[in-house]
């Protein structure tokens, strides 16, 4: 190490634990190096979560702007910090955010990584070399008026809002795809099912409209959950008392953060409570689980309705996206619903992680926000991708097996239920039983037994009568 340091490949930095060699070209420093040694956990660096990186840079820019305005920091230093943050927001230096997403210390290593990268880039902008912290210090300057315990959760929340906006848009696209299919299939009659048994007639359009409605409901739940996420504790510093900050710092930094991010953040009413409370993360995770459950149920339906093509239901046809087997020629599998199902399983598991991590908080701080943040980001981004591929690679290309559906409606014993108000439950039961027993249509048996005339039967068995409430006109006689 000594030879490499002398050759300029490394620089020596120190902290309260001692000295350490840091790659000379790195923008991060000793605190990040210690984190790399301490947390070789997932091999996933924070730099891949671009929403978090962008959000953290905006938080640091807002803090520097407030410190400058309050004359708590030299304008030149503040300017260098702000410029460095703007570069990071624009996508630069993301490869320098290298600490593992799963880390001890309540996010301290992430905050330190940011402080060091911003400081060293700021030093370059001021005409100094990396590591010359006497001119711009990662902690004294970049971290001024801050603590990990307020910057980290604030950045996580802002970054989650960025991600939620994209998920919301993907859900809206998926809803629109189902709405289009609901309209396309609005006159296609089929037999509905309860407990996998034949029930009563409905239209395929009605079936698909339910999927659109379910997604629309969850879009609203997602908006509600995001509103809770926008309450932040920036300015709370260590435990929420605001120690080491100017009385005007918190509201000013929050205003800058809202301006720079476009997220309508607001200061928490009680900073001490906000510093330890992760209930908003639990709420958001629960909504994501709700979305996952309902989208997965929809995919279960799509797989079941498209099963076959010869020995299954085969009521709809999913678009063929890939060869389905290495041994069975011509086989095509429902791979898009299957991948969405798997995303849902992951989201449900992530919700368990968030729940346990939130419950495990103690006293004035929850040390487990890093795993909560990672779980939430995965859930949101994977759900977004799942909604996108489900809409464009599956739902948009679904077609209906109209001939088969019509045949099944005519032959289904479930059709007898629609005749209950006209011929009575007992007669309808006999017709249904004999239809199954002898493989004959309900209509045929009703006419044969003189229960209704052909004209009456035609009137009753119209889609408008079969698939929605109507006034009953019973048979006379």
């Amino acid at each position: 190490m000594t030879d490499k340091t002398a050759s300029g490949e490394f620089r020596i930095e120190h902290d309260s634990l001692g000295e350490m060699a840091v790659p000379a070209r790195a923008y991060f420093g000793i605190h990040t190096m210690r984190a790399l040694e301490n947390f070789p956990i997932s091999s996933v660096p924070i730099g891949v979560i671009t929403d978090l990186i962008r959000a953290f840079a905006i938080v640091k820019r807002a803090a520097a702007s407030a410190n400058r305005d309050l004359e708590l920091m030299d304008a030149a230093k503040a300017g260098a910090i702000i410029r460095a943050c703007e570069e990071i927001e624009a996508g630069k230096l993301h490869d320098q955010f290298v600490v593992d997403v799963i880390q001890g210390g309540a996010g301290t290593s992430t905050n330190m990584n940011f402080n060091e990268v911003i400081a060293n880039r700021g030093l370059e902008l001021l005409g100094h070399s990396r590591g010359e912290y006497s001119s711009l210090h990662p902690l004294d300057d970049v971290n001024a008026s801050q603590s990990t315990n307020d910057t980290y959760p604030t950045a996580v929340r802002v970054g989650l809002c960025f991600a939620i906006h994209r998920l919301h848009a993907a859900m809206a696209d998926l809803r629109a795809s189902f709405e289009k299919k609901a309209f396309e299939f609005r006159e296609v009659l089929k037999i509905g099912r309860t407990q996998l048994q034949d029930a009563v007639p409905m239209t395929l359009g009605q079936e698909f409209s339910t999927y659109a409605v379910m997604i629309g409901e969850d879009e609203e739940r997602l908006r509600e959950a995001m509103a809770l996420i926008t309450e932040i504790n920036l300015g709370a510093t260590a435990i929420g008392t605001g120690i080491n900050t100017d009385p005007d710092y918190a509201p000013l930094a929050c205003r800058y953060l809202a301006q720079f991010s476009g997220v309508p953040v607001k200061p928490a009413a009680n900073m001490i409570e906000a510093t330890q409370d992760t209930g908003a993360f639990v709420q958001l995770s629960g909504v994501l689980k709700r979305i996952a459950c309902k989208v997965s149920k929809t995919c279960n339906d799509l797989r079941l309705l498209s099963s076959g093509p010869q020995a299954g239901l085969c009521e709809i046809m999913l678009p063929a996206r890939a060869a389905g087997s290495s041994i069975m020629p011509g086989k095509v599998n429902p791979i898009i619903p299957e991948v969405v199902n798997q995303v849902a399983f992951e989201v449900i598991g992530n919700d368990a992680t968030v729940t346990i991590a939130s419950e495990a908080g103690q006293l004035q701080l929850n040390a487990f926000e890093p795993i909560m943040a990672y779980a939430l980001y995965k859930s949101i981004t994977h759900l977004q991708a799942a909604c996108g591929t489900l809409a464009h690679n599956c739902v948009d290309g679904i077609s209906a097996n109209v001939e088969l559906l019509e045949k099944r409606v005519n032959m289904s014993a479930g059709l007898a239920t629609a005749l209950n108000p006209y011929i009575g439950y007992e007669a309808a039961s006999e017709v249904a039983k004999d239809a199954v027993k002898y493989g004959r249509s309900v209509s045929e048996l009703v006419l044969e037994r003189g229960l209704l005339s052909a004209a009456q039967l035609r009137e009753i068995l119209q889609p408008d009568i079969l698939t929605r409430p109507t006034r009953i006109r019973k048979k006379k006689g």
Side-chain angles (χ1 to χ4, degrees):
M1 284 293 186
T2 303
D3 291 341
K4 290 184 178 180
T5 302
S7 67
E9 293 183 44
F10 287 83
R11 64 178 187 266
I12 298 297
E13 293 191 11
H14 68 274
D15 61 7
S16 59
L17 301 182
E19 293 185 341
M20 201 171 194
V22 177
R25 295 179 61 83
Y27 284 89
F28 54 78
I30 186 170
H31 297 290
T32 302
M33 291 293 293
R34 294 201 187 280
L36 290 173
E37 289 185 350
N38 291 332
F39 309 126
I41 306 299
S42 70
S43 299
V44 178
I46 58 172
V48 304
I49 307 179
T50 55
D51 290 319
L52 178 61
I53 300 304
R54 180 181 166 217
F56 224 125
I58 295 172
V59 169
K60 291 293 182 180
R61 178 156 71 108
S65 298
N67 284 325
R68 176 202 60 203
D69 290 359
L70 295 172
E71 298 183 351
L72 301 173
M73 182 183 295
D74 176 77
K77 287 184 176 182
I81 293 170
I82 290 168
R83 287 171 60 195
C85 290
E86 289 172 338
E87 290 182 357
I88 295 167
E89 290 172 50
K92 296 181 179 179
L93 301 179
H94 285 209
D95 62 338
Q96 297 298 303
F97 298 101
V98 294
V99 301
D100 201 285
V101 291
I102 303 176
Q103 57 191 255
T108 297
S109 294
T110 295
N111 189 38
M112 292 293 200
N113 196 167
F114 264 91
N115 290 333
E116 290 170 341
V117 171
I118 292 169
N120 281 307
R121 178 55 185 146
L123 283 168
E124 288 183 334
L125 293 170
L126 292 171
H128 301 284
S129 299
R130 298 172 207 173
E132 292 184 11
Y133 297 140
S134 60
S135 298
L136 185 66
H137 198 276
L139 298 176
D140 292 338
D141 298 314
V142 180
N143 201 59
S145 303
Q146 303 157 62
S147 164
T148 295
N149 301 345
D150 66 338
T151 57
Y152 183 83
T154 296
V156 167
R157 287 166 182 255
V158 171
L160 286 173
C161 287
F162 293 156
I164 288 169
H165 280 301
R166 292 195 304 276
L167 171 57
H168 202 275
M171 290 174 66
D173 284 345
L174 179 58
R175 172 172 48 80
S177 292
F178 277 119
E179 288 171 343
K180 289 176 184 176
K181 286 298 167 181
F183 182 78
E184 179 183 338
F185 300 148
R186 66 193 181 281
E187 295 181 356
V188 179
L189 269 179
K190 62 162 288 181
I191 291 295
R193 293 180 179 83
T194 58
Q195 296 163 273
L196 295 181
Q197 305 301 303
D198 292 358
V200 297
M202 65 185 304
T203 68
L204 190 60
Q206 287 175 319
E207 191 162 41
F208 271 70
S209 70
T210 64
Y211 305 141
V213 170
M214 287 193 292
I215 294 168
E217 290 176 345
D218 285 350
E219 289 177 68
E220 183 59 33
R221 301 293 82 74
L222 192 58
R223 279 190 289 268
E224 294 168 354
M226 189 170 69
L228 297 179
I229 293 292
T230 58
E231 183 179 273
I232 62 170
N233 72 331
L234 187 60
T237 62
I239 64 170
T241 61
I243 189 172
N244 293 344
T245 64
D246 185 279
D248 295 326
Y249 168 79
L252 182 57
C254 185
R255 286 198 296 273
Y256 271 122
L257 180 58
Q259 176 187 335
F260 296 157
S261 68
V263 176
V265 293
K266 53 187 177 295
N270 186 311
M271 291 289 200
I272 297 176
E273 179 274 335
T275 302
Q276 61 187 277
D277 181 21
T278 55
F281 294 151
V282 176
Q283 174 80 3
L284 173 59
S285 184
V287 170
L288 296 174
K289 181 176 73 171
R290 171 183 164 134
I291 295 168
C293 287
K294 290 164 74 171
V295 172
S296 188
K297 185 271 180 190
T298 297
C299 287
N300 295 341
D301 287 0
L302 296 179
R303 289 190 296 114
L304 188 58
L305 291 171
S306 65
S307 61
Q310 293 168 308
L313 296 184
C314 197
E315 295 189 350
I316 61 173
M317 284 77 75
L318 306 184
R321 299 299 304 176
S325 174
S326 61
I327 189 172
M328 293 175 281
K331 190 172 187 289
V332 177
N333 294 326
I335 58 172
I336 303 302
E338 287 173 349
V339 75
V340 176
N341 283 135
Q342 290 175 80
V343 169
F345 307 155
E346 179 195 33
V347 172
I348 294 166
N350 289 341
D351 179 64
T353 297
V354 172
T355 301
I356 295 167
S358 178
E359 182 276 334
Q362 296 167 320
L363 302 176
Q364 279 69 60
L365 185 68
N366 189 308
F368 308 112
E369 287 193 12
I371 194 64
M372 285 188 264
Y374 186 40
L376 288 167
Y377 279 116
K378 285 193 298 180
S379 290
I380 293 171
T381 55
H382 292 180
L383 276 176
Q384 175 203 336
C387 287
T389 194
L390 181 59
H392 304 301
N393 291 323
C394 182
V395 177
D396 286 348
I398 291 175
S399 58
N401 193 341
V402 178
E403 184 177 342
L404 179 62
L405 289 170
E406 182 179 355
K407 179 181 177 181
R408 286 179 175 165
V409 169
N410 291 331
M411 295 300 296
S412 174
L415 196 60
T417 303
L419 303 180
N420 275 353
Y422 304 93
I423 65 175
Y425 184 88
E426 185 174 344
S429 296
E430 287 297 318
V431 168
K433 182 177 66 175
D434 289 347
V436 173
K437 183 177 180 179
Y438 300 112
R440 299 178 65 186
S441 75
V442 168
S443 298
E444 183 181 0
L445 291 172
V446 167
L447 291 173
E448 184 178 283
R449 296 175 185 184
L451 298 172
L452 291 169
S453 69
Q456 288 173 319
L457 196 59
R458 282 195 301 273
E459 182 180 357
I460 295 169
L461 298 184
Q462 294 179 51
D464 285 349
I465 304 296
L466 291 176
T467 61
R468 54 183 53 89
T470 187
R471 295 192 183 278
I472 304 300
R473 289 181 288 176
K474 293 189 177 182
K475 172 188 172 186
K476 296 179 181 179

